[in-house]
Amino acid sequence: MESTTAAFAFAALGQETRLDLLRVLLAAGPNGLAAGDIAARLGVPPSTLSFHLRALDQAGLIAATRQGRSLIYAAQVDRLRALLAFLADACCDGDPTRCGDLHRIFAPDGETGRMKPATFNVLFLCTRNSARSIMAEAILNGMAEGRFRSFSAGSDPLQSGPLPEVLAQLKGLGHDVSGLRSKSWDEFTSPGAPRMDFVIALCDTLNLQVCPDFEGTHVTAAWPLPDPAKFTGSAVERATLLNELYAALHRRLGIFTSLPFGTLDRMALKARIDELARPLAAGARA
């Protein structure tokens, strides 16, 4: 990160409301918050909030994605890490024994480092870990060809496990469902857990949960998709919706696996992955 870029970002944070705004979005995690919810939490009028949102967005510290008619704002954690890394980079001439834990916040390759692992670990998140994230785990593992290992988890995993109709659909499409289970995201924050390269949230609702910090994660993203547990209608109608959801995930993940990971820096890679949250963008590239 260049000094001018860092100075611009720090200037954007040099105001109390913006600091509070960023903290609210960090607490919300990758699901983000709608502008109205942010205004209510901060107690500021919408016109004032728009001014502060624009300042943080221009500094790259937050980003907006469209969900229906609403704009959902989320903190850009990777950008914030890079900003803190820039600040700490010169600490004690890089000697971690003199700087305590401060050295842990920077990425070894810097903001422009490329993603180079032979195999990427990808974690899909959804509250109940019973449908969307289970689908994504199975789809990506099916198309991985040794380049990706996918996992899924949730904040409140369904005790009965993945939805039977989801497992039946996946099995019918040739996926191995023997290892699929609903599990807590705590399994991926404990010592010895696999280090994640990507964490992608699939929830379509703003449940105000605080997502954990999966240490070492390079890129996070949110792809809001409808919840199969809420599908109504006849069995045929629900099956149709389930097939549409599967197709949407398959398109996104097909594009995701074809990205030039070795030539994009983290910021550019995140921008490309964020684009996949927009159905039209995913369809256009498919």
Side-chain angles (χ1 to χ4, degrees), residues 26 36 47 72 151 178-179 193 207 223:
L26 285 170
S47 58
I72 307 302
F151 307 84
S178 60
N207 46 27
W223 297 348

Side-chain angles (χ1 to χ4, degrees), residues 35-236:
D37 294 327
I38 300 171
R41 290 185 176 214
L42 296 178
V44 298
S47 58
T48 301
L49 180 67
S50 296
F51 172 75
H52 294 305
L53 286 170
R54 185 164 55 253
L56 292 177
D57 183 46
Q58 290 174 344
L61 297 172
I62 67 172
T65 56
R66 184 165 294 280
Q67 183 175 324
R69 296 183 178 180
S70 301
L71 282 176
I72 307 302
Y73 293 88
Q76 300 299 284
V77 177
D78 292 326
R79 182 72 162 185
L80 187 58
R81 285 186 189 276
L83 184 63
L84 296 176
F86 172 83
L87 188 65
D89 190 30
C91 176
C92 296
D93 198 27
D95 183 357
T97 62
R98 298 164 61 197
C99 282
D101 289 337
L102 191 60
H103 70 286
R104 296 179 62 189
I105 67 173
F106 34 76
D109 296 327
E111 186 187 28
T112 59
R114 269 52 173 177
M115 305 286 285
K116 297 180 180 178
T119 301
F120 295 108
N121 289 333
V122 184
L123 176 63
F124 297 99
L125 298 179
C126 220
T127 305
R128 305 292 275 170
N129 188 212
S130 62
R132 290 160 290 189
S133 51
I134 291 290
M135 273 188 187
E137 179 183 358
I139 292 170
L140 184 56
N141 276 333
M143 62 173 61
E145 299 180 351
R147 296 174 57 225
F148 299 88
R149 286 194 306 164
S150 63
F151 307 84
S152 67
S155 60
D156 184 22
L158 193 65
Q159 293 298 312
S160 56
L163 298 181
E165 58 187 332
V166 169
L167 293 180
Q169 182 210 41
L170 291 172
K171 188 174 182 179
L173 291 170
H175 293 284
D176 180 7
V177 301
S178 60
L180 297 176
R181 62 188 178 90
S182 300
K183 51 198 170 295
S184 171
W185 59 23
D186 291 341
E187 291 190 18
F188 298 94
T189 61
S190 59
R195 175 188 176 280
M196 292 299 148
D197 298 295
F198 302 91
V199 174
I200 301 175
L202 302 175
C203 291
D204 64 328
T205 56
L206 303 176
N207 46 27
L208 307 183
Q209 296 173 90
V210 179
C211 291
D213 181 11
F214 299 98
E215 185 173 353
T217 297
H218 283 290
V219 178
T220 60
W223 297 348
L225 290 167
D227 184 0
K230 298 178 181 178
F231 289 170
T232 59
S234 66
V236 173

